[in-house]
Each structure stands twice: as structure tokens, then as C-alpha cells.
Amino acid sequence: MQIKPLIGALGAELLDIDISAPLPPDTLAAVRRALFDYQVIVFRDQKLTLDQHKQFARQFGPLHVHPYILAKPLDGHPEVLRVVKEKDDRRVFGEKWHSDVTFLERPVLGSVLYAIETPSKGGDTLFANMYMAYETLSDGMKAMLEPLTAIHETPVPEVDPATGRPLEPMRLVNKRGEHPVLFTHPETGRKLLYLNTTYVTHFKGMTPEESRPLIDYLCEHATQAAFTCRVRWAPGTVTFWDNRSTQHLPINDYHGERREMHRVTIET
Ligand SMILES: [Fe+2]
């Protein structure tokens, strides 16, 4: 296996590796290390069945079932979330900067997203490095943020944001998580900024109005170009990201074309 960094801030392609079969222990350890070193790892030209996709992810931890569904679940595979944008859909799933499901009490480890069908151009995903976001704050700002806890919440949507069609919530658990704003990553021991504008509504003990300007400032700071990388997809691309140390943003620039991905998310 070879590791080819994408750019300076984060991200790497892992070459000469087939993830469809269980990985030997040394390869698995190397992939795990690359995930935590580079935060976003990309595999090209993979061919995975639903079971192989889940089997790959399960080597890193138990699989998570999304608390609400945005599309018809795949029969027998509740852990696989279909992320689909049809030709005529205007919106895209998760269209603002975010980390996945941070409204859970326990942050998830990461997600493995597999591209089934991609547009002829566009539909890239941006990722931002939340270690860099933390490390580049002033000492004064770090000290001010140190005692703060952020409230992460999600309203379960009543309609699919992409199609406007009614959405059937599968379960409504864990809609509110409380997490320290400065979070120490349990695997790397490094501190990071743990915030996103999609799910964070306010700081504990403060009103949303009081919190919003600081949340907006910090998230704008965190997603500046120098802290990001951009993943270009093709059918067979698999991207595995560390969901605690990154945020991501899907680019909605391919109206008139269809894109289909399968996502499996791993619990800690
Ligand atoms: Fe997402």
C-alpha cells in the first residue's frame, strides 16, 4: 500500500490496496494509522457489494444506523444510508459544512462513503481540518473556549430536503448532544475545534442569539481554504473520513445529472 497525500492540510490517497476482502492485520493497522494521520483517506477503483462495504467498515468498529432515513432503506441493510441526488433534485443531502450526526450523545468515529454513480463533472466534496482550526486560534480565544460546551441538535425533517417528498423518521433517539467546544481526540490525543453550523444551536448556559456570532466566526475560521482538501469522485471511489477531526461540504454543482453514494458510519 502506498500513501499519496492530497494536499498540505489533510487527506491522502491510499494506492495499491483492495478493500473488498478482510485486510491482513498489518494492512488494517496501516489504514487505521493513515486515517488518523491524514483524517480523510481515499481509495480508487474499488468494487464493493453492500456486504463488502459493511465488512470493510466493521473492521474499524460497530456500525451505526442513521436516526432518520432520507431514502427508501436498502432491504436488509439498515446500516447503509443511500445518498442520492436525482437529475431533477435541486437540493443535496448535508448541503452546509458539517460533521455527521454530531447531535448524538457519542460522536461517531467516521463514515465510509462509496460512489456508485457520479456526474460527468462536479459533485466534489470538501473536507476541513479541525485540528488546524484549533491550533491557529489565539491563546486568548483558546482560553475563552476552554470551558464552553456546545449543544448539538437536529430537527428531524418532515420532508426530504432534496425532493420535497414526505420523510418517514425511522427512530427519534439522541437528537441532542452536548460536547466540549475544544475536544481531545481519543485516538491521537490532539485537541481540535468541535463545532459546526449545521447542528450546533448554542453554547450551554448562553442563548442562541448570544452564541451565534461566535459559532459563525469559529466555523468560518475553520473552513478557510488553507485548512481544506477537495475529493473528486468517480464510480468506485471510497472515501473514509475521521468524523471527529473534520467537517465536510458536498458541492451542489451538477444539476441535471444523477449522483448516488452509499454511506456506512462507524461508532466508537
Ligand atoms: Fe455528511
Side-chain angles (χ1 to χ4, degrees):
M1 183 182 88
Q2 274 189 59
I3 299 179
K4 191 174 140 203
L6 285 180
I7 51 127
L10 77 166
E13 283 184 326
L14 271 51
L15 310 172
D16 306 323
I17 177 169
D18 174 3
I19 62 170
S20 65
L23 300 174
D26 56 333
T27 308
L28 181 61
V31 170
R32 206 179 155 82
R33 209 163 37 243
L35 173 70
F36 294 124
D37 285 350
Y38 292 95
Q39 302 163 259
V40 177
I41 52 178
V42 182
F43 306 88
R44 301 292 186 187
D45 305 317
Q46 303 292 322
K47 218 169 164 22
L48 302 178
T49 62
L50 292 166
D51 282 324
Q52 287 168 331
H53 186 178
K54 291 197 292 188
Q55 177 264 124
F56 170 74
R58 211 175 263 131
Q59 295 172 103
F60 300 87
L63 304 185
H64 169 73
V65 177
H66 200 276
Y68 53 84
I69 51 172
L70 290 163
K72 194 174 175 295
L74 291 155
D75 280 345
H77 299 279
E79 314 92 336
V80 181
L81 180 74
R82 283 176 78 224
V83 180
V84 183
K85 181 171 177 281
E86 300 291 351
K87 277 183 186 163
D88 299 329
D89 291 348
R90 288 279 169 191
R91 309 265 306 266
V92 64
F93 181 46
E95 63 188 1
K96 287 190 343 186
W97 277 104
H98 66 283
S99 308
D100 292 335
V101 293
T102 63
F103 49 84
L104 299 176
E105 275 167 34
R106 234 173 67 188
V108 294
L109 181 149
S111 292
V112 179
L113 191 60
Y114 173 45
I116 308 290
E117 183 178 347
T118 57
S120 57
K121 60 181 179 350
D124 296 355
T125 304
L126 297 185
F127 292 88
N129 181 337
M130 301 302 280
Y131 293 126
M132 288 178 92
Y134 165 74
E135 287 158 7
T136 50
L137 293 172
S138 67
D139 290 344
M141 180 61 91
K142 286 177 186 164
M144 191 178 84
L145 297 177
E146 189 64 54
L148 291 186
T149 296
I151 309 298
H152 298 239
E153 293 176 284
T154 183
V156 175
E158 285 172 12
V159 295
D160 183 329
T163 62
R165 284 193 288 269
L167 190 63
E168 250 183 71
M170 210 156 59
R171 49 173 70 74
L172 302 173
V173 294
N174 263 337
K175 284 193 299 171
R176 180 186 162 105
E178 294 189 7
H179 306 298
V181 173
L182 304 184
F183 181 88
T184 300
H185 195 294
E187 297 286 339
T188 63
R190 293 174 66 192
K191 219 172 234 192
L192 56 90
L193 181 68
Y194 196 68
L195 276 183
N196 65 77
T197 46
T198 296
Y199 297 125
V200 175
T201 51
H202 60 288
F203 298 117
K204 196 172 182 177
M206 291 170 64
T207 66
E209 293 73 22
E210 289 167 340
S211 310
R212 181 54 51 195
L214 185 52
I215 295 168
D216 286 346
Y217 165 73
L218 290 167
C219 289
E220 210 167 291
H221 162 78
T223 54
Q224 59 186 276
F227 301 169
T228 67
C229 71
R230 183 166 184 140
V231 171
R232 184 153 295 168
W233 300 88
T237 299
V238 175
T239 299
F240 183 4
W241 63 88
D242 175 350
N243 196 61
R244 293 170 290 197
S245 70
T246 61
Q247 284 194 62
H248 55 274
L249 176 72
I251 309 288
N252 187 4
D253 61 351
Y254 52 100
H255 185 63
E257 293 200 69
R258 187 177 188 278
R259 183 179 185 262
E260 177 171 355
M261 308 279 194
H262 288 174
R263 187 178 99 191
V264 171
T265 295
I266 302 160
E267 294 183 340
T268 51

